[in-house]
Every structure is written in C-alpha cells, then in structure tokens.
Amino acid sequence: MTGALKSTRSLNVTEALRERLLQGEFDPGTRLQETWLAERMQVSRTPIREALRVLAKDGLLEYAPNRGYSVRHFSLDDIVSAFRVRSVLEGLGCRLIAERGMSSGLSESLHATLQTGENLLQSGQLQRGEFDEWREMNKAFHLAILLETHNDLLVRFAKQSRNIPIVFNGSFRWYSLREFQRAHDHHQVIFDAMANQQPERADFMMQEHIMHAALILKKNYND
Amino acid sequence: MTGALKSTRSLNVTEALRERLLQGEFDPGTRLQETWLAERMQVSRTPIREALRVLAKDGLLEYAPNRGYSVRHFSLDDIVSAFRVRSVLEGLGCRLIAERGMSSGLSESLHATLQTGENLLQSGQLQRGEFDEWREMNKAFHLAILLETHNDLLVRFAKQSRNIPIVFNGSFRWYSLREFQRAHDHHQVIFDAMANQQPERADFMMQEHIMHAALILKKNYND
DNA sequence: AAGGGAAAGATTGTATACAATTTCCAACCC
DNA sequence: GGGTTGGAAATTGTATACAATCTTTCCCTT
C-alpha cells in the first residue's frame, strides 16, 4: 500500500489544514490565530504551530514574527507564474526520460493512463463524477513521469508548485469536451516523444500542455 | 537596509543550524537529537523542533515520525540533479526577462557585476581573499536576474535549490583562471542576450553556464 | 477634536512537564 | 546460538504555564 502507517497529530493537522486552505475555505488575508485553530481542531497549540510553519514554507501562508500567520492571496499573475515554473520543471522531466529512454514499467503505467483517458472520452461528454476520474488519471500521468526521473528535487518542486488554492481541485470545471480531447492529444504526443527518444519534442509539448491549461484558467478565472 | 529587524529564537536557531549544515559540520546520517541540540545552543527544545521541521522541508534533514531528524546524505548524483533543476529555473528567468526587455535598473546592476568580474580577472590570478569577492559578484548576478522576473515561486525554488552542503560555499575552489574567465564570458553573453531580447539564447546560455559549473564539480568532487 | 501615550487585553514565543513511542538490553525459550 | 519477549531508559510528541510582544482602548494634553 501507499499509506503512511505512522503519523502524529502535527502531521495530521498539517495535512488537514492544507486541504482546507487548498479548498479556499479561508479568505485571503485572514489571520489564523493559534488558539482559535487549536480549540477548533481539538488539539493544543503545539501541533498547530508546527503545521502553520510548514504551510508558510509551502507558500500557502504568510508569516511575520510576533504577529503570526495569515492566508496568502494568489493573484492571477501568481497562478500563471506558478504554471510557468511547473511547465519547465515537468518539461525537464520529460526531456530527461526521453534522453535515457522509458523503462517498461513507465511505459505500461502511462499506457494505462492513456487508455483510461481514451475511455473517458468515449462517452462523448464527461459527466459530473467523471471529472474526478479524469483528475486522477491526469495526476497519475504527470506523477509517473516525474518519479521516473529519480530527481528528488524535481519531484519536490513540481509537487510544491501545485499548492495553490482552488486551482488544483476544480480547474477542469472549465473544460469542454474539446479541451479534454486536446489534453489527451498532448498526453499521447508526450508519450510518443519519450518513447521515440525525442527530448526536445517531449519537453516542448509538456510545456505547451501545461501552459495551455494556464491559458484556459486565465480565460475563466475571476478574482 | 536589507536586514531583518524582528526575529525570534526559532528563526535564529533555524538559520544558525542551516549554516552549520551547509558547512558540512555534521556527517550525513547523523541523528540530530533535540535535547542535545537544545543544551548545546542554549535554548529549549521548542525552537529547536521548529527549526528542524523547517530544515527538513528544505531537504537538508530527513524526518521519520517518532524517530526524529537525521542529516541527509547528498550523493554526487543528487547534486548534479539539483544543478539541472536550477539550470532550467534560472534559464526560465533569463528567458522571461529577455522576452520583456531589461529594465534600466537591472541593466545597471548587471553591468556593475560584470565590471567587478572584469576587475577581478585583471590581476591574472585570483588570490585567496578574492574568491569571496567573486562569489559575492556571482551571487549578485544570478539573484538580480531572478528578482527581476517578479515570479515569486521561481525565486523561491532557485534559492532553495542551492541548499546543498559544501557545494555552495567552496565550489570555486576548483576554478583555474581559465574557468573564471569562461564563467565571466557566460555572464557577458547572458547579459547581451537579454539586452537584445533573445530569449532562446539567454535561456540556453544560462543553462550552459550552470551545467558547466556542475561539470567542474563532478570532476573534482569526491564522496 | 486630533494626537500621543500609557495601561489592559490579546496573541505569539519559549520553557517545561507529562504522555506516547521507540530503542536498548538482558533474560529467556527453543 | 539464534531469536524472542519484557521492561527500563531514552527520545520524540503534546499540553500547558509563563514570558515577551503586539494591539486596543481610553485618558490626557494641546
């Protein structure tokens, strides 16, 4: 299994809070007071403080000494900037794999996600519940590539760059069938480029893929 | 001034510990016990714990629940991987600036660093103390570019990617005059590319610049 | 009434006490 | 002897008490 067997309140609180921040539960600028959070989460201030510090490191909160933590505001520019960073990171991932060639394990994993994508597109129009399946598939595709690079820092940064409220839960909201199809096409080309050891093409298409997602977001995001 | 006026023991301990880790004061694998650190640093366990958690997030320490923190080992592969990541990040920085054109402020800052580099190379052979000057100049060059992008995540990641013991203090140790000259040439070309709005060239040369540094490291680093 | 400033309240920072878990070691069984 | 079990010691996790800092309020001065 993939699960974390051991945990602590501190870690649990961190992830619970992160989730709530990513859901956009707190308005930007809101000050997160330790005592308030502590009693609300049925826990002492100690694990709360540790969680807050970590989430600030992740860029979700802002911190000022003796003044505590507040919820960070993400402008549209911030979000697009994050996409740009992520695009070169994942682009690099594809390039590295294309250079050395795909392992059979990666080839199979990606093939499975492509198949899943194909199936989801068959129905003609993605239903409510299928959004989640698509999101799963998409996440699996991108993560499989990253992990195969065995570049620890690359994986960490790419994961971290997705820590943006709202964006990485409901962003497929805006997608029409046409957009899903295009994303699927991108995935296929990326796969093909890596399979045929075309680093430049793999890198470029991954950047294109991610920045197109940013473009759609830009068109629809209001704030 | 640039200084942080307000601070806390927690923050001070974090930076002090980070510095010592970057100096390679602790052998990889060493377990850092809270009580030991606490009495050695004349402070209670509380700020120590917060520091450890942050440094683990920065990738300098490894953490296991209920087992505490230990000093991370960086293989040569880890280090080169980090350089590769940094190269695409800073490459992106150059690209972004080349696309939109340099501000006069950046142009002046970079010109100053280039001049400093020129002067340091004049003497024919860099002396002991001049290594630090070169390091300062180099840091200023790279940081000025990053900051000008106004891409928060990019700056954070690029800075974080330098958090590797030993490497980013004494790496110029291996440089011959020839290598310093080559680095200086790179800086000049990067500046020129950005000044003439050549994004592709600026990006490429920054990657070349950083990966060449990695190459020198690879040749000389033993462990 | 506007501004300044001191005291009270609220909030964060730090130390310490206690709880939970792991580690170590020795006795024991097979 | 190899391995296991039990428990004591050590270490981390959590709660709480206290200290330092910031915030607010209200009174005073001009």
Side-chain angles (χ1 to χ4, degrees):
Chain A
M1 296 291 149
T2 143
L5 299 88
K6 285 289 151 57
S7 191
T8 68
R9 279 176 224 195
S10 193
L11 294 175
N12 292 335
V13 166
T14 304
E15 291 319 307
L17 248 182
R18 184 201 304 282
E19 208 48 51
R20 290 166 68 180
L21 286 165
L22 291 178
Q23 298 296 334
E25 187 173 327
F26 304 99
D27 290 336
T30 306
R31 280 188 59 178
L32 294 184
Q33 293 192 0
E34 298 171 3
T35 51
W36 185 82
L37 281 171
E39 61 184 43
R40 204 178 137 90
M41 301 189 82
Q42 302 278 40
V43 88
S44 85
R45 276 177 59 212
T46 309
I48 297 285
R49 281 179 64 83
E50 298 186 338
L52 291 175
R53 185 145 300 204
V54 168
L55 294 170
K57 257 264 144 197
D58 275 341
L60 286 169
L61 301 176
E62 283 172 349
Y63 168 74
N66 286 308
R67 303 207 40 245
Y69 300 84
S70 53
V71 179
R72 172 169 167 197
H73 169 73
F74 285 87
S75 69
L76 183 53
D77 261 13
D78 289 332
I79 296 170
V80 173
S81 293
F83 270 76
R84 193 72 186 89
V85 169
R86 189 164 75 94
S87 74
V88 301
L89 290 173
E90 295 206 24
L92 173 61
C94 292
R95 174 181 293 264
L96 292 173
I97 288 170
E99 280 170 355
R100 76 167 75 114
M102 273 195 285
S103 72
S104 61
L106 178 63
S107 181
E108 283 170 30
S109 314
L110 293 185
H111 209 77
T113 63
L114 287 175
Q115 194 54 250
T116 306
E118 199 79 55
N119 294 340
L120 284 168
L121 287 177
Q122 283 312 315
S123 54
Q125 181 64 42
L126 269 76
Q127 310 297 326
R128 261 257 151 279
E130 290 176 329
F131 275 33
D132 290 334
E133 286 181 63
W134 181 274
R135 189 176 300 115
E136 283 296 310
M137 177 279 290
N138 187 57
K139 193 175 170 186
F141 181 85
H142 286 265
L143 192 61
I145 294 172
L146 282 169
L147 289 178
E148 185 81 359
T149 64
H150 297 117
N151 185 327
D152 196 53
L153 200 65
L154 180 58
V155 177
R156 265 171 49 209
F157 283 171
K159 280 185 180 171
Q160 239 184 286
S161 68
R162 300 173 64 125
N163 267 240
I164 301 176
I166 313 284
V167 174
F168 282 101
N169 347 310
S171 62
F172 291 125
R173 201 176 359 185
W174 334 108
Y175 277 49
S176 64
L177 178 62
R178 187 86 195 290
E179 297 297 357
F180 282 114
Q181 284 169 337
R182 192 204 297 248
H184 183 69
D185 290 344
H186 285 163
H187 283 187
Q188 276 187 321
V189 173
I190 291 165
F191 177 86
D192 185 73
M194 291 193 298
N196 292 297
Q197 306 213 18
Q198 301 170 310
E200 202 80 40
R201 182 170 172 237
D203 184 346
F204 183 89
M205 279 306 295
M206 180 55 98
Q207 290 196 41
E208 182 67 25
H209 176 54
I210 291 176
M211 290 317 288
H212 184 72
L215 186 67
I216 296 178
L217 192 84
K218 203 170 177 176
K219 278 184 187 162
N220 294 282
Y221 191 79
N222 298 305
D223 182 277
Chain B
M1 292 297 134
T2 141
L5 299 88
K6 286 288 152 58
S7 192
T8 68
R9 281 178 222 191
S10 194
L11 294 176
N12 292 334
V13 165
T14 305
E15 291 319 306
L17 247 182
R18 183 201 303 284
E19 207 49 50
R20 291 166 67 181
L21 285 166
L22 290 179
Q23 298 297 333
E25 187 175 328
F26 305 97
D27 290 335
T30 306
R31 281 188 60 177
L32 294 184
Q33 293 192 358
E34 298 171 3
T35 50
W36 185 82
L37 281 170
E39 62 184 40
R40 204 179 137 90
M41 302 188 83
Q42 303 277 40
V43 88
S44 85
R45 275 177 59 211
T46 308
I48 297 284
R49 280 179 63 85
E50 298 186 339
L52 291 175
R53 187 145 297 205
V54 168
L55 294 170
K57 257 259 140 201
D58 275 341
L60 287 169
L61 301 176
E62 282 171 350
Y63 169 73
N66 286 307
R67 304 206 40 243
Y69 300 85
S70 54
V71 179
R72 171 166 169 199
H73 169 73
F74 284 87
S75 69
L76 182 53
D77 260 12
D78 289 331
I79 296 170
V80 173
S81 292
F83 269 77
R84 193 73 187 88
V85 170
R86 189 164 76 93
S87 74
V88 300
L89 291 173
E90 295 206 25
L92 172 61
C94 292
R95 174 181 292 263
L96 292 173
I97 288 170
E99 280 169 357
R100 77 166 75 115
M102 272 195 287
S103 71
S104 61
L106 179 62
S107 180
E108 284 169 31
S109 314
L110 293 186
H111 210 78
T113 62
L114 288 175
Q115 192 55 250
T116 306
E118 198 79 55
N119 293 340
L120 284 168
L121 288 177
Q122 282 312 317
S123 55
Q125 180 64 43
L126 270 76
Q127 310 297 326
R128 259 256 153 278
E130 290 174 330
F131 274 34
D132 290 333
E133 286 181 63
W134 181 274
R135 190 175 300 116
E136 283 296 311
M137 177 281 290
N138 187 57
K139 193 176 171 184
F141 182 85
H142 286 265
L143 191 60
I145 294 172
L146 283 169
L147 290 177
E148 184 80 359
T149 63
H150 296 117
N151 186 327
D152 196 52
L153 200 66
L154 180 57
V155 177
R156 265 173 47 210
F157 283 171
K159 279 184 179 171
Q160 236 183 288
S161 67
R162 300 173 63 124
N163 267 242
I164 301 176
I166 314 285
V167 173
F168 282 101
N169 347 309
S171 61
F172 291 125
R173 202 176 359 184
W174 334 108
Y175 277 50
S176 64
L177 177 62
R178 187 85 197 291
E179 296 297 355
F180 281 114
Q181 283 168 336
R182 190 203 298 244
H184 183 68
D185 290 345
H186 285 163
H187 284 187
Q188 276 187 322
V189 172
I190 291 164
F191 176 85
D192 185 71
M194 291 193 297
N196 292 298
Q197 307 213 15
Q198 301 170 309
E200 202 79 40
R201 181 170 171 238
D203 185 346
F204 183 89
M205 279 306 295
M206 180 54 98
Q207 290 196 40
E208 182 67 24
H209 176 53
I210 291 175
M211 290 318 288
H212 184 72
L215 185 67
I216 295 177
L217 192 83
K218 203 169 176 177
K219 277 185 188 160
N220 293 280
Y221 190 79
N222 298 306
D223 180 271

